[in-house]
Amino acid sequence: MSSKTWVLKLAACIAAGTSVLATAPAQAAVAHDGSTQTTSTHTGKARAQAASSGDPVAHRACTTGDAGASGGADIYNWHGPDSTLNVKLDLADGKADGRYAAIRLLVVGMDGSKVQSHWNKVSGYGKHKEGWGPVKYKGGINHIGVQVATFKGSRMMSYCIDLGEAD
């Protein structure tokens, strides 16, 4: 599968409903019986910017374990809360079970506000997807991370979260 640019413009991605960030511990895989809907704005060009950024400042990753989804984010240019970050997301589906793997970026602002990007999906054993996107949050970024999940239709079956401050 060819690389695809994913958009992570978080100012337009404020979550509808209850946020997963408020209750889920970092890197914990848990069963879940609902889903969260989000919206996003599409743009891209962070790949070239990140190529000149050196090593990632932070890495976030987790797996849903036996459910088969794994993913992560390499975060570049995180030099302060108001930085425009360049983020590379990676996602893989490790099971041929009719479910799909999904990943989204999570941000906690300096004021405690919680924001998430849209879900990026891949389905099928051994399928892999990666993409680049710029991230800037007008309230400043305090924590950033990923949520990786498995879905059957629109129902979230399991998920994990890795969320933290700049390393």
Side-chain angles (χ1 to χ4, degrees), residues 5-167:
T5 300
W6 290 337
V7 182
L8 305 171
K9 213 156 191 160
L10 294 174
C13 299
I14 298 185
T18 306
S19 175
V20 175
L21 295 175
T23 58
Q27 297 194 18
V30 296
H32 187 69
D33 61 356
S35 66
T36 302
Q37 297 177 356
T38 60
T39 60
S40 79
T41 305
H42 295 282
T43 180
K45 60 181 156 168
R47 181 185 301 220
Q49 294 169 352
S52 64
S53 299
D55 292 331
V57 176
H59 178 77
R60 305 286 182 257
C62 65
T63 179
T64 60
D66 290 343
S70 61
D74 288 327
I75 302 149
Y76 297 82
N77 299 336
W78 195 0
H79 305 296
D82 296 324
S83 298
T84 298
L85 310 179
N86 294 316
V87 178
K88 177 186 175 193
L89 288 177
D90 288 298
L91 175 64
D93 188 349
K95 287 191 119 180
D97 58 3
R99 298 177 181 179
Y100 64 87
I103 190 170
R104 68 179 169 188
L105 198 64
L106 307 173
V107 168
V108 176
M110 296 304 290
D111 62 357
S113 58
K114 297 168 181 79
V115 185
Q116 55 204 25
S117 70
H118 69 285
W119 286 107
N120 296 283
K121 305 169 188 171
V122 67
S123 181
Y125 176 72
K127 297 285 183 172
H128 177 263
K129 196 176 196 183
E130 69 178 40
W132 290 91
V135 176
K136 181 164 181 84
Y137 184 58
K138 69 179 180 177
I141 297 173
N142 190 24
H143 291 78
I144 192 166
V146 293
Q147 180 180 16
V148 176
T150 56
F151 285 86
K152 185 170 186 174
S154 63
R155 184 172 177 219
M156 185 186 297
M157 305 303 290
S158 63
Y159 70 87
C160 62
I161 291 176
D162 184 3
L163 179 69
E165 298 175 327
D167 294 341

